[in-house]
Amino acid sequence: MGFIAGSLGPKSFVQGRADLVKFLQDSSVPLAYVSPTLVYGNGRKDDMTRWLPLLKFFGIFSKKL
């Protein structure tokens, strides 16, 4: 199973996703997950995606972005 966790957003969202990852890891279902900072595409236009060019630029210098 593939799963998208989260590392950015309201604390309750990030914690909820972490709890789901833990639950799925403890199950018998094989799991691969990622914790991206921002998921974008498919026409997404909101406050977070307007920062995308800046995040891409800083990502050149820091692998954490």
Side-chain angles (χ1 to χ4, degrees), residues 17-50:
R17 301 299 276 189
D19 292 344
L20 282 171
V21 167
K22 177 74 173 124
F23 174 77
L24 291 170
Q25 285 178 322
D26 292 342
S27 74
S28 62
V29 177
L31 177 69
Y33 73 95
V34 294
S35 291
T37 302
L38 179 63
V39 176
Y40 66 94
N42 198 25
R44 178 177 172 174
K45 302 279 188 210
D46 61 14
D47 288 340
M48 291 301 296
T49 57
R50 73 179 183 165

